[in-house]
Amino acid sequence: MVLGAGGWAYQLHLLQALKRKPDLFLCERLDVKAVFQCAVLALKFPEAPTVKASCGFFTELLPRCGEVESVGKVVQEDGRMLLIAVLEAIGGQASRSLMDCFADILFALNKHCFSLLSMWIKEALQPPGFPSARLSPEQKDTFSQQILRERVNKRRVKEMVKEFTLLCRGLHGTDYTADY
């Protein structure tokens, strides 16, 4: 799918509309898979408003995976791709100022798609160097276990993500991040 500047603007507006009026997911003509894939791509954009809109879309979509069949099917088929994009962002491909937004997606996946997330996160973190070459297998394992244990406290998930992104970027324990 190739979209010009106007096409991406359209997608951003669609994501924002779906966030404001989530019952649009029930529209039979909505291609949930295409919107899902566009939103995953938007997570990788350098513009913070686009990334935030995409994250907001997922935090609205994921709670519906059990109640809307088309949403559940897309999450089952393409949710791993979403998780990998989130882990890449946390691993250093996105601004640290956006980490709370990515933590919200992890929290929603954990709360509404726990069995899938528990399988995907272990698989996704196995390759050496992913999402950062600075991480040991033990650090990745600790992170995945911490995330999977925390299904109630969103603030705690945000703290875990901030800590993990610092490890990924080689900034953990530095003066530079003292106030982060």
Side-chain angles (χ1 to χ4, degrees):
M1 175 181 344
V2 177
L3 296 173
W8 285 112
Y10 170 76
Q11 290 298 326
L12 177 60
H13 292 300
L14 177 61
L15 295 175
Q16 291 169 333
L18 286 167
K19 184 175 180 191
R20 286 189 206 108
K21 192 149 176 59
D23 59 328
L24 287 174
F25 290 121
L26 302 174
C27 177
E28 290 179 20
R29 294 181 302 171
L30 178 66
D31 186 345
V32 178
K33 187 174 189 81
V35 175
F36 187 97
Q37 291 174 346
C38 284
V40 169
L41 289 174
L43 290 175
K44 300 175 184 206
F45 275 35
E47 298 86 10
T50 303
V51 174
K52 286 180 180 180
S54 184
C55 290
F57 165 75
F58 286 114
T59 60
E60 292 295 324
L61 176 92
L62 292 169
R64 288 164 178 72
C65 66
E67 62 193 51
V68 179
E69 184 180 336
S70 60
V71 172
K73 184 176 184 219
V74 169
V75 170
Q76 280 190 317
E77 292 173 359
D78 296 338
R80 188 175 187 282
M81 174 177 50
L82 168 62
L83 176 64
I84 288 171
V86 167
L87 292 172
E88 287 172 341
I90 294 168
Q93 291 186 12
S95 167
R96 285 183 12 226
S97 65
L98 296 169
M99 290 305 110
D100 283 353
C101 298
F102 291 108
D104 288 342
I105 294 174
L106 279 179
F107 184 76
L109 279 168
N110 200 20
K111 189 169 185 175
H112 302 286
C113 311
F114 177 77
S115 61
L116 293 170
L117 177 63
S118 61
M119 180 178 51
W120 294 334
I121 199 166
K122 290 177 189 331
E123 291 173 3
L125 289 174
Q126 278 185 345
F130 182 83
S132 167
R134 293 181 173 97
L135 296 173
S136 70
E138 294 77 23
Q139 289 169 317
K140 294 193 282 188
D141 189 51
T142 298
F143 176 71
S144 66
Q145 287 177 22
Q146 287 174 333
I147 291 295
L148 292 172
R149 272 195 299 253
E150 193 53 70
R151 297 177 69 189
V152 178
N153 190 335
K154 187 188 290 190
R155 181 188 51 78
R156 180 71 187 117
V157 171
K158 289 180 180 188
E159 290 170 4
M160 288 178 221
V161 167
K162 284 181 180 180
E163 178 106 3
F164 192 66
T165 199
L166 294 176
L167 287 170
C168 289
R169 297 163 196 251
L171 298 172
H172 188 265
T174 64
D175 290 340
Y176 179 70
T177 60
D179 293 332
Y180 181 61

